[in-house]
Each structure stands twice: as C-alpha cells, then as structure tokens.
Amino acid sequence: MSARPALLDELAWRELISQHTEGLPAALAAGVVSGYCGFDPTASSLHVGNLIPIMGLMHLQRAGHRPYALVGGATGMIGDPSGRASERVLQGLDAIHANAEAIRAQLSRFLDFEGPRGAKLVNNVDWLSKLSVLDFLRETGKHFSVNYMLAKDSVKSRIEGGISYTEFSYMLLQSHDFLELNRSEGVTLQFGGSDQWGNITAGLELIRRAGGKESNGLTFPLITNADGTKFGKSTGGGSVWLDAERTSPYQFYQFWIGADDRDVSKYLRYYTLFSQDEVTALDAEVRSAPEKRAAQRALAVEVTTRVHGAEAARVAQEVSALLFEKADPQGLSGEALKALRAEIPFAEYAPPAEGAPAEGAPAEGIDVYQCLTLLGIAASRGAAKRLLEQGGVSINGVKLGAADRVVGEDRLLRDRHLLVRKGQREFGLVQVP
C-alpha cells in the first residue's frame, strides 16, 4: 500500500504532478488542507488551457480537502509575465468584475460550493484594492531582494526585451495573495502550472518570513500536443473556450474528437474522472482498433458533458454523426437542426413570387438549383445544373440525378428543413417557409 496521501497517488497516476514541496505529503496526511489556484479574469471565459488547474482543485475536493479559486480581479489589471513575451493590454475594473462573475459560473460545473468543505471563490481585489503602497512595501516588499526576483525565470526571460515595473511587481502581489489567504482562510497550499513555480515559492518564502503557517506548493505540467503545438488551440488557431457563445458545444466536442492517438491516453487521465481500469481499457482500444476512435469519443462526451451538460453533448454527437458518419438526416432532432444552422451554411428558401418564377424555375415544388445557389454551393444555376448532371448532390441523404431538379414538400425534414450535401464533406441547410 502506498505511503503517500490518496491525493498525490491520484495526481501521480494521472501524470499531473510536475513539482511539489517536500512537506506536502505530510501536510495532506495530517488532516484537511485548504488549497488554492488563481485564474486570470482578463477574458469573460476560461478556456481548455485552464482545465488542468481546475481538475487539480476538483481532485483536491474529492480527496476531502477544501479548494479555493482565486479570481485575480486586481492582479488581472496588471498581468502575469510568466510565459509571456510581451506586456498584456490592461483592462478596466468593471470588465474585470464582469469576467470574474462569468468564471465563477464555469467553475461551479466542476466544484461543489456547498457545505463546510465547499469550494470558495475569492477575489484579490477585495484586499489589494484596500492596501496602501506604504503598507505593501512594509509588509511584503521588504522581504524580497531585487536579486532574488531577477533570478526567477518569469522575470529573467523578459529582462533582455524589457519588462515594466508593473509586471515586475506581479510576483510580490501573488505572494501577498498567498499570505492573505493563509492568514484569513488558513490556506496552506497553492496550485499552478509549472511556469508558476517561481511565483509559488516566492509566496512560500513570504509566509515563512511573516511567521505564517507552514505552507506548500504543487505545480502541474504544461501541456503540449504530440506534434509539439500548444494544447488548447483550435485548428483555426484560436483558443477553445468553455463559454458556448465563444466556442459552440459542437466545436468543443470536435476539438476532443480530433485528439491524436498519441495524445488521447494522457488526455483521458488529465481531463476526465475515469478510473485506471476504464482508461486502461480505452488505451487497449486505441491500439487494437484506432479507426473506431472509441477513446476520443469517450473523452469528448465526458468533457463536453462536464462543461456544457448532457443535452448539449448529445446534440454535439448527433451533429457529428451526421457530418462525419453519414447518419440518416431523417432522424435529426430539432435541437440538432438548430445547432447545424450555426455550423454549416444556412439559408432561407425564397419561393418566386406568384406568376413570376425565376427563368427556367419550376412553378411548383422546391427548386434545387435555387437551394444550391443560395447556399453558395453553386455559383450559378448553370453550375447547379452541372452538379446534378455529375451526380454530386444529395438532398436529405438521397442522391439526386440530372432530372431531380425539384423536391416535393413531402421530403422536408423536421421544421421544414432540407439538408444539402455536395460530395462527401460540403453541407448546407435550407429552411423552407
């Protein structure tokens, strides 16, 4: 039986430990530990790059300890230089407050905020905004030499290109946060990415010098894909957000479905609560039948359900099955059709005015040529005609021929939709009034 606390065993097999202080195992074994991690509120949503520390707090709570999520309402106005090559754009206090509220709602999908050991959200603007410059210098600044700060990687990497005093001071502010939480809430553990180790150890040093309780730190690995690219970017290069308005549940689901076979095993460990036996079984399926992508499907369903809910995950699966697995469009739910409208070209069919049909258009029925041109699948009616002659068009899963230029209303899907497909991967959706 392992001598380490259950939390460290859990994080270790999930490969979620980069570094931790020597005293952490004993502290976890001695009783309930309160630990925190900070989140930058410079956007109105967290993104998948934040999921590792969120999962860390989740594991902390599941192991019987108490998680604190610190929203950097004050430090978010300054910016952490760690891992950055240039100064960030500073935001106003109103925007920071609005972002903090949105982040709380997202964290509630992972953490239980109820009960005596419920998670607690704190905002460092509550104490840093009341701290005078003189008090800050006396209580925190006096404990750090400039040489100590210059030796930290987060500062050292920026010296040549230049770093403002604003960002240079970030380490002291984060250290002060740890000291404040240690004093007011009894927090003795800080989580962070491995690039935060310097800031975390500075906080440990401040707590020690200020006579606070024994404290510890733990960092998680920084995640990259098997091809060396940064984890958390979509194929378009943008971040994959937890907010459905920024990244739709379908796009979010597809991000995980697209995981490389070389990466999916570690992603199952990092981003789900699957047991070792479940992960081992999915690992075996990757090796024996990679074309089935069973591990990627399990990963995508689990994470999408956690972030967006079971219904959104179901709809994302339905849309994905239609677009990539040739599922029958006749069975599409109303929710899936609504989601499709946001993911593929969509147009509303405009029948010709009575007595004035378009040149060569049928007097009755739905004109396939018009559907193709409305969606931009064909540049003109002549191009649409050639597509039908070549057999390259399907409507609602049925392949059309040269003579099939009209679709009857009996062929409409739910809510009077037509799903148009050119070839294997080009789709469009038309709604008929």
Side-chain angles (χ1 to χ4, degrees):
M1 184 174 180
S2 173
R4 290 197 304 181
L7 174 63
L8 292 183
D9 278 343
E10 181 75 11
L11 295 179
W13 91 261
R14 291 184 182 277
E15 301 176 10
L16 282 174
I17 300 176
S18 178
Q19 301 157 290
H20 69 73
T21 48
E22 291 184 5
L24 181 57
L28 292 170
V32 176
V33 168
S34 293
Y36 90 99
C37 185
F39 296 93
D40 183 356
T42 51
S44 62
S45 173
L46 300 173
H47 51 78
V48 296
N50 299 120
L51 285 178
I52 291 291
I54 293 174
M55 294 303 295
L57 291 177
M58 195 177 186
H59 288 301
L60 181 74
Q61 187 169 49
R62 285 166 58 86
H65 304 287
R66 189 175 190 189
Y68 282 71
L70 183 146
V71 175
T75 45
M77 298 178 69
I78 295 173
D80 181 2
S82 302
R84 297 182 61 84
S86 61
E87 187 102 358
R88 72 170 74 236
V89 177
L90 305 186
Q91 295 200 29
L93 192 57
D94 288 344
I96 293 292
H97 276 306
N99 294 345
E101 287 302 310
I103 288 171
R104 179 192 171 89
Q106 293 178 340
L107 289 173
S108 68
R109 301 168 194 166
F110 296 83
L111 303 173
D112 181 3
F113 283 86
E114 303 298 325
R117 293 188 187 176
K120 187 170 181 180
L121 187 85
V122 292
N123 190 332
N124 64 11
V125 75
D126 292 340
W127 55 84
L128 290 180
S129 63
K130 301 171 185 175
L131 187 66
S132 73
V133 173
L134 291 178
D135 287 341
F136 176 67
L137 292 175
R138 285 170 58 86
E139 293 183 14
T140 299
K142 72 175 183 179
H143 293 296
F144 294 94
S145 70
V146 171
N147 290 344
Y148 176 88
M149 297 175 69
L150 290 174
K152 297 294 185 180
D153 289 339
S154 61
V155 174
K156 190 187 303 183
S157 62
R158 291 281 302 282
I159 290 297
E160 185 174 339
I163 181 172
S164 70
Y165 179 76
T166 302
E167 285 196 335
F168 183 66
S169 68
Y170 186 92
M171 182 191 306
L172 302 187
L173 291 171
Q174 184 170 326
S175 298
H176 187 90
D177 286 344
F178 200 174
L179 177 62
E180 172 66 27
L181 290 175
N182 184 268
R183 287 172 170 173
S184 64
E185 300 284 346
V187 172
T188 58
L189 171 63
Q190 184 180 174
F191 284 156
S194 60
D195 61 342
Q196 289 292 313
W197 185 248
N199 289 342
I200 291 174
T201 55
L204 301 178
E205 181 69 9
L206 177 61
I207 290 171
R208 184 187 68 79
R209 294 188 179 191
K213 299 176 183 177
E214 184 68 27
S215 55
N216 289 282
L218 182 148
T219 60
F220 309 111
L222 297 181
I223 312 303
T224 56
N225 299 321
D227 60 7
T229 59
K230 185 177 181 180
F231 175 82
K233 301 294 183 181
S234 67
T235 54
S239 294
V240 179
W241 301 94
L242 306 192
D243 181 354
E245 296 299 317
R246 288 172 172 253
T247 300
S248 73
Y250 164 75
Q251 293 166 346
F252 189 82
Y253 178 88
Q254 285 300 130
F255 170 78
W256 299 101
I257 281 286
D260 192 298
D261 287 344
R262 297 170 293 175
D263 291 320
V264 69
S265 178
K266 66 180 181 181
Y267 293 170
L268 288 167
R269 290 166 169 77
Y270 292 164
Y271 303 111
T272 78
L273 296 179
F274 291 159
S275 68
Q276 291 191 45
D277 288 344
E278 289 172 313
V279 173
T280 299
L282 288 167
D283 284 349
E285 291 200 55
V286 172
R287 293 190 296 271
S288 63
E291 72 284 355
K292 293 182 178 179
R293 301 188 74 74
Q296 283 89 343
R297 292 175 194 274
L299 173 68
V301 170
E302 174 72 10
V303 184
T304 305
T305 298
R306 174 76 61 187
V307 172
H308 295 295
E311 176 62 10
R314 183 197 66 75
V315 171
Q317 287 178 274
E318 192 177 350
V319 173
S320 183
L322 175 77
L323 298 181
F324 296 100
E325 300 168 30
K326 299 182 180 179
D328 184 2
Q330 296 293 336
L332 282 173
S333 66
E335 293 81 5
L337 284 165
K338 182 179 179 181
L340 265 175
R341 289 171 62 151
E343 304 300 339
I344 63 177
F346 171 77
E348 293 183 349
Y349 185 78
E354 186 175 352
E359 183 180 353
E364 297 182 359
I366 301 160
D367 184 0
V368 174
Y369 293 177
Q370 185 177 350
C371 291
L372 291 169
T373 55
L374 280 171
L375 293 169
I377 292 176
S380 65
R381 295 178 67 83
K385 179 182 179 181
R386 288 190 293 274
L387 280 176
L388 260 66
E389 291 172 345
Q390 295 162 3
V393 176
S394 296
I395 296 284
N396 295 347
V398 178
K399 193 172 184 179
L400 303 184
D404 298 320
R405 57 169 304 178
V406 179
V407 173
E409 295 208 358
D410 59 322
R411 298 271 296 279
L412 291 172
L413 302 177
R414 186 190 302 269
D415 300 327
R416 300 180 63 79
H417 285 89
L418 287 175
L419 181 72
V420 182
R421 190 184 79 210
K422 172 188 171 184
Q424 296 299 314
R425 288 288 181 262
E426 189 172 353
F427 290 87
L429 191 66
V430 173
Q431 187 170 35
V432 179

